[in-house]
Amino acid sequence: MQADNSNDDRARLERDLAHLRQEHRDLDDAILALEHLGSPDKLQIQRLKKKKLLLKDEITALSDRLTPDIIA
């Protein structure tokens, strides 16, 4: 039973990680699109970049949870 729970947790973390990575890519596309406008909204771009950085931190934290600590 314990292994099932740990497999379910791992699968959920992997799904969450995939979702965050997709959202990160989507933000990157949105930022690029805004930057290519004739007169881009600098404040909106700044907010999107900040959100993108927060997502990157979440991605890193989830990746660390999925990767076992191995001491060399």
Side-chain angles (χ1 to χ4, degrees):
M1 188 71 175
Q2 183 82 5
D4 288 341
N5 284 340
S6 106
N7 285 341
D8 290 344
D9 289 342
R10 182 168 183 82
R12 182 184 48 78
L13 289 174
E14 288 173 352
R15 280 192 309 272
D16 291 347
L17 185 58
H19 175 75
L20 289 173
R21 286 181 173 152
Q22 181 62 50
E23 191 173 346
H24 188 268
R25 283 189 299 271
D26 291 346
L27 280 173
D28 201 31
D29 291 342
I31 290 167
L32 287 174
L34 284 173
E35 288 176 341
H36 285 97
L37 289 176
S39 58
D41 183 353
K42 300 284 186 190
L43 184 59
Q44 181 67 18
I45 290 172
Q46 184 180 8
R47 288 178 180 155
L48 290 175
K49 285 183 177 183
K50 184 174 182 178
K51 186 172 181 180
K52 189 176 158 194
L53 286 173
L54 292 173
L55 281 173
K56 184 169 176 78
D57 290 343
E58 289 182 50
I59 289 168
T60 300
L62 272 180
S63 293
D64 289 346
R65 287 179 63 189
L66 286 169
T67 305
D69 290 336
I70 299 175
I71 299 174

